[in-house]
Amino acid sequence: MAAPRSGQESVKAEPSAGSQGSSGVEVVLLSDPAAPAPLCPHGPTLLFVKVSQGKEETRRFYACSACRDRKDCNFFQWEDEKLSGVRLAAREAYNQRCRPPLSRLQCVQRYLRFTELPLTQRKFCQSCQQLLLPDEWGEHREHQVVGDIAITQLRRPSQLLYPLENKKTNAQYLFADRTCHFLVGLLPALGFRRVLCVGTPRLHELIRLTASGDKKSNLKSLLLDIDFRYSQFYMEDGFCRYNMFNHHFFDGKPALEVCRAFLQEESGEGVIMVTDPPFGGLVEPLAITFKKLITLWKEGQGQDDSHQEMPIFWIFPYFFEARICQFFPSFSMLDYQVDYDNHALYKHGKTGRKQSPVRIFTNIPPNKIILPTEEGYRFCPLCQRYVSLENQHCEHCNSCTSKDGRKWKHCFLCKKCVKPSWIHCSICSRCTVADHSCEGPKDGCFICGELGHKRSSCSNIGTPKKARAVRNQKQRKRSKMKMETTKGQSMNHTSVTRKKKKRERAHQYLCS
């Protein structure tokens, strides 16, 4: 493919699960598209291109923005493909069939009727994941139904609904109470009065529960989530069905205006966005979406405040730090470990490599955020921020360098701190895992293999033969260095064996 045209940005995505070698898929983000993207059941699709190291495919395609697995959403269309009227009509009919059975207004009306019922008539169908009105009981006679649904249960729908645990699509790993209570206590202490909860249903629930039980609490929240099941538990001002990968409001302009009013209330003062995207999602579309929400927030401000940033907590694994800071340079990563109720690994309190890798990325100065000392966090006076107990200050790096909660070690050859289990490889000239492959694929440019840039800015983008020649030359050099090392080790072994045999013969001669 030729270099990206003016008005578009091509960025590398994580390789798909079935990709072989150093290959993957790139999402092409168009700043000024010539035509709107086609629609799938999850809203506007995204434009992708397949790439492999040293080889580029010129034909681009549209695919679902939210689902990376074709089993979850099989939408596929070549960018230059012309569809007939019959196929377009069939696609529209399919999209209609995939929509929720009830409109947003119908869900609100059902919720109001449900809350007016006596406790003995409030039932929930676990098989259909739906609140039931009395005239619907007969249709669910053979289903698993629970009764006596109290108002407190209605305020905690995440405990009634089964979590969707497809990490590539919905990934509803729900915050543990420890994390929720930490955030609900921290946000008002930082001066926030409204929280835009993007994909954080359990935090949204606790904020509303706290506000209803504490008259002094003035914290409000709005939930944006792709799971339509939450529509039956909230009024219009409490929930909007939303796809965070393409900034799509499923209920159109009315839902957009609800979000706009929430962000721009009090001229945008006192609001923060807390988001917990699926970890299998692409960072680039998420960053573009969050910038659109920031723009929506800025529209309610005066010109004097246009330089300010909307406060954000982006909750994501620590190994995405470089990617996130590429789009938001003002962000820093906190040491606080976020844990989840329904995730087997992401639990607080574990040690070593079993600790939760999920962290909070934020544009709020870290010295303003107090982490709980009873959980093992301490304040570093040199870094002016709270860190985990094992995160020791390195005098050479002049920073608390650990990212994963363990004590890291300083490598004087790499001139930085690395994970304690890593070793310095003389062939790769860097620290890495002990059982790595020196000739294995490396992250970086898909064309030439260099680490300092991406494919879109590679000078060899139009010369794959030259790129292959450069890459092959580097591979031959690494192989030669490895062979010399192996040969030297073999010669040393032979020399030791000869000396040993010579000593044995001398011993036999003296003993004879």
Side-chain angles (χ1 to χ4, degrees):
M1 186 183 76
R5 298 191 303 267
S6 176
Q8 79 179 38
E9 179 185 3
S10 183
V11 288
K12 188 177 78 171
E14 293 86 353
S16 60
S19 61
Q20 299 292 330
S22 185
S23 61
V25 175
E26 289 189 356
V27 56
V28 182
L29 303 174
L30 302 175
S31 58
D32 188 19
L39 301 178
C40 76
H42 302 93
T45 54
L46 294 179
L47 186 62
F48 296 91
V49 60
K50 290 184 178 180
V51 293
S52 59
Q53 198 164 31
K55 180 182 178 182
E56 301 171 280
E57 296 186 14
T58 58
R59 203 174 184 191
R60 304 186 296 191
F61 62 91
Y62 289 101
C64 180
S65 63
C67 304
R68 294 178 61 194
D69 196 328
R70 295 284 297 277
K71 295 179 181 178
D72 299 313
C73 181
N74 61 2
F75 185 97
F76 183 92
Q77 179 183 324
W78 293 112
E79 181 189 21
D80 55 359
E81 185 177 4
K82 303 298 182 182
L83 301 185
S84 65
V86 175
R87 287 188 61 187
L88 289 173
R91 175 181 293 171
E92 177 61 26
Y94 174 76
N95 291 344
Q96 290 283 353
R97 291 196 300 271
C98 292
R99 291 181 179 177
L102 300 174
S103 68
R104 188 73 181 93
L105 179 60
Q106 289 174 318
C107 288
V108 171
Q109 293 172 345
R110 284 172 54 85
Y111 176 77
L112 293 175
R113 289 178 59 190
F114 190 89
T115 55
E116 293 173 353
L117 295 173
L119 181 63
T120 56
Q121 295 187 17
R122 295 194 206 125
K123 297 184 178 182
F124 177 77
C125 179
Q126 293 182 329
S127 303
C128 300
Q129 298 284 279
Q130 178 182 334
L131 297 174
L132 299 181
L133 297 175
D135 55 355
E136 298 169 342
W137 292 353
E139 304 172 12
H140 301 263
R141 189 177 294 110
E142 304 297 326
H143 295 179
Q144 188 173 357
V145 177
V146 293
D148 298 341
I149 304 298
I151 296 297
T152 54
Q153 290 177 283
L154 291 177
R155 292 175 177 172
R156 300 298 301 266
S158 67
Q159 297 182 350
L160 280 175
L161 301 171
Y162 293 129
L164 305 174
E165 296 186 351
N166 185 340
K167 66 179 181 180
K168 292 184 178 180
T169 309
N170 297 289
Q172 285 182 331
Y173 297 124
L174 303 170
F175 289 153
D177 284 343
R178 161 191 166 269
T179 296
C180 280
H181 284 285
F182 166 72
L183 291 173
V184 171
L186 174 65
L187 297 177
L190 292 173
F192 297 112
R193 299 180 294 277
R194 300 188 312 285
V195 184
L196 183 66
C197 297
V198 184
T200 58
R202 188 155 283 184
L203 176 63
H204 175 66
E205 294 171 3
L206 186 58
I207 290 174
R208 295 171 72 91
L209 271 176
T210 304
S212 64
D214 184 3
K215 295 182 179 180
K216 296 182 180 179
S217 175
N218 60 349
L219 197 62
K220 299 191 299 183
S221 66
L222 170 65
L223 175 62
L224 306 184
D225 200 283
I226 198 171
D227 188 354
F228 70 88
R229 298 177 301 171
Y230 285 104
S231 299
Q232 57 187 322
F233 295 95
Y234 297 110
M235 305 294 286
E236 292 98 325
D237 61 350
F239 170 76
C240 298
R241 190 176 176 224
Y242 179 75
N243 183 348
M244 70 175 75
F245 290 99
N246 58 7
H247 188 56
H248 176 67
F249 289 88
F250 288 88
D251 294 305
K253 191 174 180 179
L256 173 62
E257 293 305 319
V258 168
C259 182
R260 187 195 305 275
F262 185 84
L263 289 175
Q264 297 181 4
E265 184 180 338
E266 299 180 5
S267 299
E269 291 292 329
V271 67
I272 183 174
M273 182 179 80
V274 180
T275 179
D276 182 32
F279 301 152
L282 303 178
V283 171
E284 292 80 7
L286 290 171
I288 297 300
T289 289
F290 298 156
K291 288 183 178 181
K292 291 180 179 179
L293 289 172
I294 293 172
T295 301
L296 197 65
W297 168 76
K298 281 188 175 183
E299 290 175 358
Q301 295 185 312
Q303 293 183 353
D304 296 338
D305 300 326
S306 59
H307 64 282
Q308 294 184 0
E309 286 187 330
M310 180 174 70
I312 295 176
F313 276 0
W314 182 343
I315 297 170
F316 228 46
Y318 71 84
F319 39 81
F320 283 96
E321 181 181 15
R323 303 281 291 280
I324 291 176
C325 292
Q326 176 185 355
F327 287 92
F328 295 99
S330 62
F331 277 28
S332 59
M333 187 180 76
L334 306 180
D335 264 23
Y336 185 82
Q337 293 184 20
V338 178
D339 59 339
Y340 298 82
D341 268 350
N342 57 325
H343 198 290
L345 300 177
Y346 296 171
K347 300 286 187 181
H348 174 72
K350 294 186 177 182
T351 58
R353 298 186 64 182
K354 295 182 179 180
Q355 300 178 77
S356 172
V358 186
R359 302 290 185 269
I360 299 175
F361 296 88
T362 181
N363 51 2
I364 300 173
N367 60 357
K368 294 184 177 181
I369 300 175
I370 300 175
L371 302 186
T373 55
E374 63 273 14
E375 294 182 9
Y377 298 100
R378 62 178 181 83
F379 185 77
C380 176
L382 299 176
C383 294
Q384 285 292 298
R385 68 183 181 99
Y386 277 83
V387 297
S388 60
L389 194 62
E390 294 296 319
N391 191 358
Q392 299 298 314
H393 192 90
C394 175
E395 60 181 8
H396 306 288
C397 299
N398 193 27
S399 174
C400 292
T401 53
S402 174
K403 307 291 184 183
D404 60 5
R406 297 179 292 170
K407 182 179 179 180
W408 283 21
K409 62 181 182 181
H410 188 82
C411 175
F412 291 94
L413 296 175
C414 293
K415 298 181 180 179
K416 65 178 182 179
C417 287
V418 297
K419 293 181 179 181
S421 59
W422 284 16
I423 61 171
H424 190 87
C425 176
S426 59
I427 299 175
C428 299
S429 298
R430 62 186 178 95
C431 283
T432 184
V433 293
D435 57 348
H436 73 285
S437 174
C438 297
E439 287 78 23
K442 298 178 173 59
D443 294 333
C445 179
F446 269 124
I447 296 178
C448 66
E450 292 290 341
L451 299 177
H453 63 273
K454 299 298 182 182
R455 182 196 65 85
S456 57
S457 58
C458 181
S459 59
N460 298 318
I461 196 166
T463 57
K465 290 184 179 180
K466 179 181 177 181
R468 281 197 296 269
V470 173
R471 188 175 66 257
N472 292 338
Q473 182 181 2
K474 291 183 177 181
Q475 289 177 350
R476 286 195 297 268
K477 184 178 179 180
R478 286 195 296 266
S479 299
K480 183 179 179 181
M481 293 174 63
K482 192 171 184 179
M483 288 177 63
E484 289 177 351
T485 304
T486 305
K487 183 179 179 181
Q489 293 174 349
S490 178
M491 291 178 66
N492 291 337
H493 176 73
T494 303
S495 177
V496 170
T497 303
R498 287 176 180 173
K499 289 180 181 179
K500 184 178 179 181
K501 288 182 178 179
K502 188 175 181 179
R503 285 196 300 268
E504 289 176 352
R505 286 197 299 268
H507 180 73
Q508 291 174 359
Y509 173 77
L510 293 172
C511 295
S512 60

